[in-house]
């Protein structure tokens, strides 16, 4: 039987040890430490859940009814299979794209979200500042908690968009549109999937109101989250930037405001009032995409409101190929809903989308760390986009083609009788 050779041992030389024993510099900021450990949007979500009271977190995290639409939207991206090309020079990748006549640095923007300062007190200003730094658009919601003018002032030179809900009081709606135009907003996102509020059951069960209602349950929930409450109680009172004060539930407010009589003629009328670009948000069928295009809008945003309106609505990602085939030569086709990674964004672009928007991913970052958390969201998505493009063997977004992705079939419609 052969003997193993004897290993010669010696005392280590301190000069040899030095390069092997590099100690990491301590990070004294707790926020910086926790954000640095977040490698995915899901990591930011977990941090956000720990740091945010349940009612506020659930407003962001939840959807309508059984939350089937939200689950299906995320599953649609999980069911994508990529097809990489190898032996390509991808030392440099270009993530920019022309969107509505202007260049954006990345193929996504920050979607309009309501009640944002309730999630974290820095709110819309944080999102607008990070968007300006990143060279991407920021969309302010009609239900925002920072005024149209204050958002523009917080991020001068940024690309600002305004999202419009048509109210029953048309004069008040158009007064907001006029303010946005005067403040330099270049694009109007008209949301068309909210004739009434969806049944957001988490909000009902939490008794979610604006401002938050203090009950024994909410106080108990706040105990392990003192930073949120300190910020909430020591900053400007939470209110709607574009509305009067409201003391009821969110669902009651939405049902009071939204106009179920809005039709295509109203969309054409709104377009005539606005000097910039017009995007219709909330399209959920090929037929409506064609009708909206006929009105003369500049982009169609396939969206089911993040699953927050009609539960079991069509998955926007699934609609993409056919809508692009029908109207893609006439308008830009965008998509949102279910996006939780840069890979999802790359899949959407390859599947035919011209542009995407992220909502929850942005809010998870905001709740996890304010403006720095939003910045971390953009860093994570940017890194994932660039890495996925390189691994697919593409140097720019125009090289992404349907051949790079396969949508694995999980849900197939049964033939109609």
């Amino acid at each position: 039987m052969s003997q193993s050779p004897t290993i010669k041992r010696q005392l280590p030389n301190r000069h040899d040890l030095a390069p092997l024993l590099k100690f990491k510099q301590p990070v004294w900021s707790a926020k910086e430490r926790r954000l640095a450990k977040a490698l995915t949007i899901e990591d930011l979500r977990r941090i956000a859940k720990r740091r945010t009271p349940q009612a506020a977190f659930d407003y962001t995290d939840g959807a309508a009814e059984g939350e089937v639409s939200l689950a299906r939207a995320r599953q649609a991206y999980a069911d994508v299979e990529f097809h990489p090309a190898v032996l390509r020079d991808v030392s440099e990748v270009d993530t920019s794209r022309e969107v509505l006549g202007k260049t954006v640095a990345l193929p996504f923007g920050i979607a309009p979200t309501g009640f944002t300062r309730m999630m974290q007190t820095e709110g819309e200003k944080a999102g607008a500042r990070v968007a300006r730094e990143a060279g991407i658009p920021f969309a302010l919601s009609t239900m925002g908690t920072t005024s149209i003018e204050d958002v523009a002032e917080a991020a001068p030179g940024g690309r600002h968009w305004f999202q419009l809900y048509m109210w029953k009081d048309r004069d008040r709606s158009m007064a907001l549109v006029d303010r946005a135009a005067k403040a330099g907003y270049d694009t109007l996102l008209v949301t068309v999937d909210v004739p009434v509020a969806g049944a957001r059951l988490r909000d009902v069960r939490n008794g979610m109101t604006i401002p938050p209602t203090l009950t024994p349950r909410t106080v108990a929930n706040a105990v392990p989250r003192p930073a949120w409450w300190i910020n909430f109680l020591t900053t400007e009172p939470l209110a709607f930037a574009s509305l009067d004060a409201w003391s009821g539930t969110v669902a009651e407010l939405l049902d009071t405001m939204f106009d179920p009589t809005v039709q295509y003629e109203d969309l054409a009328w709104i377009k005539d009032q606005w000097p910039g670009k017009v995007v219709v948000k909330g399209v959920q069928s090929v037929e409506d995409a064609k009708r909206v295009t006929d009105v003369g809008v500049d982009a169609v945003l396939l969206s089911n409101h993040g699953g927050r309106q009609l539960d079991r609505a069509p998955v926007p990602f699934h609609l993409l190929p056919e809508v692009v085939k029908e109207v893609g030569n006439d308008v830009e086709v965008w998509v949102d809903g279910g996006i939780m990674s840069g890979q999802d964004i790359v899949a959407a672009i390859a599947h035919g989308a011209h542009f995407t928007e992220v909502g929850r991913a942005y809010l998870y970052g905001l709740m996890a760390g304010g403006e720095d958390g939003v910045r971390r969201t953009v860093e994570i998505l940017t890194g994932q986009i660039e890495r996925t493009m390189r691994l697919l063997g593409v140097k720019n977004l125009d090289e992404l083609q349907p051949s790079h992705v396969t949508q694995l079939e999980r849900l197939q419609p049964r033939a109609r009788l």
Side-chain angles (χ1 to χ4, degrees), residues 43-175:
D43 288 342
L44 290 175
R45 178 187 175 275
R46 283 190 286 268
I47 297 170
K49 188 173 184 178
R50 292 198 306 266
R51 299 185 59 80
T52 311
Q54 182 177 345
F57 178 81
D58 278 355
Y59 178 77
T60 296
D61 196 58
E65 305 280 356
E67 304 189 354
V68 174
S69 286
L70 175 58
R72 286 179 178 173
R74 289 183 175 166
Q75 188 63 54
Y77 286 105
D79 287 344
V80 164
E81 181 178 82
F82 284 119
H83 304 292
V86 299
L87 299 176
R88 306 292 198 275
D89 179 1
V90 289
S91 55
E92 299 290 335
V93 294
D94 181 4
T95 60
S96 67
R97 166 154 282 186
E98 187 174 286
V99 175
L100 300 179
K102 296 182 181 180
T103 300
V104 298
L106 295 158
F108 68 91
I110 293 181
T113 60
F115 318 121
T116 312
R117 287 186 57 238
M118 180 182 66
M119 319 306 168
Q120 206 273 351
T121 191
E122 295 175 55
E124 291 91 352
K125 291 182 180 180
R129 283 192 285 258
V130 173
R132 179 191 60 185
E133 291 173 10
I136 61 176
F138 174 85
L140 175 66
S141 170
T142 295
M143 309 299 289
T145 45
T146 304
S147 74
I148 292 168
E149 295 78 10
D150 285 350
V151 167
E153 184 179 342
R159 190 169 182 187
H160 306 307
W161 296 348
F162 184 68
Q163 176 268 333
L164 176 70
Y165 289 121
M166 279 305 292
W167 302 347
K168 295 173 182 175
D169 186 338
R170 300 295 175 89
D171 290 339
R172 291 185 66 192
S173 294
M174 299 317 292

Side-chain angles (χ1 to χ4, degrees), residues 319-372:
L319 286 173
L320 258 175
E322 194 172 356
V323 171
V324 169
K325 179 181 177 182
E326 290 292 335
V327 303
N329 291 329
D330 301 312
V331 296
E332 295 180 9
V333 179
W334 304 357
V335 70
D336 72 12
I339 293 173
M340 286 285 284
S341 73
Q343 282 190 313
D344 296 344
I345 293 170
V346 170
I349 300 300
H351 214 44
H354 188 80
F355 190 63
T356 67
E357 288 204 318
V358 297
R360 286 184 177 90
Y362 145 63
L363 292 177
Y364 293 142
L366 181 69
M367 290 186 285
E371 183 172 329
D372 289 333

Side-chain angles (χ1 to χ4, degrees), residues 203-264:
D203 296 344
V204 176
R205 290 171 179 138
N206 289 329
M208 220 270 285
T209 62
I210 301 293
T213 302
L214 291 177
T215 66
R217 179 183 174 187
T218 57
V219 170
N221 186 251
V223 171
R225 299 168 178 85
W228 187 95
W229 283 98
I230 290 170
N231 286 331
F232 174 71
L233 296 172
T234 60
T235 57
E236 181 182 354
L238 186 64
F240 298 110
S242 305
L243 313 174
D244 296 331
W246 182 262
S247 58
T249 67
V250 172
E252 290 168 346
L253 170 65
L254 301 185
D255 280 335
T256 300
M257 285 179 48
F258 297 150
D259 186 352
T261 70
V262 174
Q263 301 180 65
Y264 280 92

Side-chain angles (χ1 to χ4, degrees), residues 5-20:
T6 302
I7 298 175
K8 184 179 179 181
R9 300 185 183 275
Q10 65 183 30
L11 291 174
N13 186 299
R14 64 184 181 89
H15 296 295
D16 296 331
L17 282 176
L20 302 176

